[in-house]
Amino acid sequence: MSHFGVVAPAFYSHSQALQALASALIDRGHRVTFFQPADARRWLADPRIGFHALGAVSHPPGSLDAVLRRAATSNNPLRLRGVIRDLCRTTRMLCHELPTALAHAGVDALLCDQMEAAGGLVAEAIGMPFVSVACALPVNREPDIPLPVMPFAYGQDERSRRLYVASQRVYDGLMWPLRGVIRQACQQLAIAPRDGLHQCLSPYAQISQTITGFDLPRQQLPSTFHAVGPLRSSDAPAQGQWAIDPQRPFVFASLGTLQGGRMGMFQQIAKACARLEAQLLIAHCGGLGTAQEERLRRSGATWVTDFAPQQWALEHADIAITHGGLNTVMDAVKACTPVLVMPIGFDQPGVAARVIHAGIGLRLSRRARAGSIHTALTHLLQHPKEALHRLASELDRAGGTSRAADIVEAVVRTGKPVPVEAIP
């Protein structure tokens, strides 16, 4: 059996997806260890998963909370530099410490989150097979596809293409500090120079939580790109504790773990649902206090909690309101629940563009007021579900965590690239 190492950003949603894959591999007799700063251990719930803390000096215990606070405000141009500095600091540290740590632990292969360049760079330098995993939207680039972080609707006209090219230049200009870190690491590791995350992906296999029908029309993905759908654990389905009135609309709203403290957005959502006379369950993921919870109930929320069993809530909901986190939207697809996306940052604008392109929901600004939200919800209550049912069927066939584990095992077994057709 093999020992797999995991290299990923210390974000909850990324850790949960990779933990599901890790648990599936452990069920098959393998060993898995996460290589991250010490604070990231908090996200791992499966005690069978190993953890090797890195960055004792640069990322001491207690430092992650400040990183998460900065990431939550990444949509603010004035604060974006701090987020980029955090990315640079982590990549630099991992490129320096990973080679020794992997050798000491006896790792056979790496599972590398696409959003962290260090895993692929180090794996190439030491001759170790690795698999890239897109926990968020894939960073794979194509000239006719907008970057996930850009707030553009999909278009095939010449103006749209020029806009995509120009926006890539803007993005690459903003990310020049990370480009410098990657180039320096390549020099130190004695591998060919790279400029960005999209050039640090595995030639063996790339696994994505998306499905083809949800993504924009791509033409240049490698033959080793596997769209397997959501990486989830096989735990028994959770049951909710809320008595839902089937005679009234039920709306589930979550802004994820990073954005759960956005009281203003939740208030406008609550007021809109009150106008609609809809039941509203808000899951703020620990971002709000008890006083704020009570204010939201007074504004129109029926229930307010820190965490809710998301798949259960989505399966019972008539509408899901989300910031555009890929995990939430994929879970909504599985539940055939229309979504209202109010993107904030990271790849959420790209998720919103795909929701519109796929015809499974609507998009509003994060600054939308209750009146606009109410209008959107009214439309979504009548939204046709043919596209949702089609995507849900595709998602069921995609294979999810089990197929992802098959792909990872094939890479280690053959030591060669694993094309889509190689996995039944």
Side-chain angles (χ1 to χ4, degrees):
M1 293 293 102
S2 300
H3 184 188
F4 295 100
V6 177
V7 181
F11 293 148
Y12 177 81
S13 60
H14 292 244
S15 295
Q16 294 309 291
L18 288 163
Q19 179 175 208
L21 177 54
S23 296
L25 290 168
I26 292 172
D27 289 341
R28 299 182 181 199
H30 301 289
R31 181 183 172 195
V32 183
T33 301
F34 276 59
F35 292 80
Q36 293 177 302
D39 285 344
R41 187 192 294 266
R42 71 177 73 172
W43 307 133
L44 299 181
D46 188 338
R48 302 174 300 167
I49 298 175
F51 189 87
H52 187 114
L54 299 173
V57 175
S58 60
H59 296 68
S63 61
L64 179 58
D65 288 341
V67 172
L68 297 177
R69 285 194 298 270
R70 287 189 287 271
T73 60
S74 63
N75 60 295
N76 186 330
L78 298 177
R79 299 180 180 179
L80 182 58
R81 289 184 179 180
V83 177
I84 296 173
R85 281 196 298 269
D86 289 333
L87 294 174
C88 292
R89 188 181 302 113
T90 301
T91 298
R92 187 182 295 111
M93 179 275 292
L94 289 172
C95 286
H96 177 68
E97 297 189 17
L98 265 176
T100 300
L102 296 174
H104 179 76
V107 170
D108 301 304
L110 283 183
L111 307 177
C112 305
D113 193 305
Q114 279 197 352
M115 296 306 297
E116 176 48 67
L121 296 177
V122 170
E124 180 180 341
I126 63 178
M128 179 178 289
F130 69 105
V131 175
S132 297
V133 182
C135 295
L137 286 180
V139 301
N140 305 66
R141 290 193 182 185
E142 295 188 26
D144 295 338
I145 300 292
L147 296 180
V149 297
M150 294 299 174
F152 305 135
Y154 176 68
Q156 296 176 292
D157 56 284
E158 187 59 33
R159 179 182 178 277
S160 294
R161 293 190 180 98
R162 289 198 303 269
L163 186 62
Y164 302 158
V165 172
S167 66
Q168 285 188 13
R169 294 196 192 102
V170 172
Y171 174 84
D172 289 339
L174 290 171
M175 297 297 291
W176 70 264
L178 182 60
R179 179 176 60 188
V181 169
I182 291 174
R183 285 207 158 196
Q184 183 180 30
C186 290
Q187 185 176 15
Q188 293 172 345
L189 294 169
I191 59 176
R194 316 292 160 82
D195 288 322
L197 295 173
H198 64 291
Q199 296 176 339
C200 302
L201 306 180
S202 173
Y204 296 92
Q206 300 171 27
I207 295 171
S208 172
Q209 286 203 100
T210 55
I211 51 178
T212 302
F214 178 73
D215 204 354
L216 300 178
R218 289 183 176 271
Q219 305 297 326
Q220 300 179 15
L221 289 173
S223 62
T224 54
F225 186 93
H226 302 260
V228 305
L231 301 176
R232 302 287 186 271
S233 64
S234 57
D235 295 339
Q239 298 298 315
Q241 61 194 47
W242 302 278
I244 301 168
D245 180 357
Q247 303 304 314
R248 296 168 56 204
F250 172 44
V251 177
F252 173 64
S254 172
L255 303 178
T257 51
L258 281 180
Q259 308 295 345
R262 295 200 174 240
M263 182 68 179
M265 288 181 65
F266 280 130
Q267 279 189 309
Q268 296 303 316
I269 292 169
K271 291 176 181 178
C273 288
R275 293 187 190 183
L276 194 64
E277 296 185 355
Q279 303 161 99
L280 171 63
L281 169 60
I282 290 177
H284 57 75
C285 302
L288 302 177
T290 55
Q292 291 170 307
E293 290 182 345
E294 183 55 35
R295 284 169 58 193
L296 289 175
R297 293 187 189 97
R298 292 198 300 268
S299 295
T302 313
W303 307 283
V304 185
T305 185
D306 49 2
F307 290 93
Q310 180 162 282
Q311 195 62 53
W312 177 92
L314 290 168
E315 288 172 357
H316 288 77
D318 297 291
I319 301 168
I321 302 178
T322 171
H323 60 312
L326 182 62
N327 284 326
T328 303
V329 172
M330 286 290 97
D331 289 345
V333 167
K334 181 178 180 180
C336 290
T337 302
V339 292
L340 174 59
V341 186
M342 303 175 70
I344 299 171
F346 292 110
D347 67 333
Q348 296 150 26
V351 172
R354 285 157 177 78
V355 165
I356 300 302
H357 182 74
I360 61 172
L362 298 174
R363 170 182 180 158
L364 282 179
S365 166
R366 68 179 185 276
R367 300 185 181 90
R369 308 295 292 178
S372 298
I373 298 172
H374 171 264
T375 299
L377 295 178
T378 301
H379 287 308
L380 284 174
L381 286 175
Q382 306 301 322
H383 194 79
K385 291 193 174 183
E386 289 83 357
L388 277 164
H389 288 297
R390 184 175 63 253
L391 289 181
S393 296
E394 181 183 345
L395 191 152
D396 287 341
R397 299 190 301 270
T401 310
S402 178
R403 186 175 179 85
D406 291 342
I407 296 163
V408 171
E409 287 186 319
V411 167
V412 174
R413 183 176 63 254
T414 66
K416 298 178 180 179
V418 178
V420 172
E421 60 271 17
I423 305 298

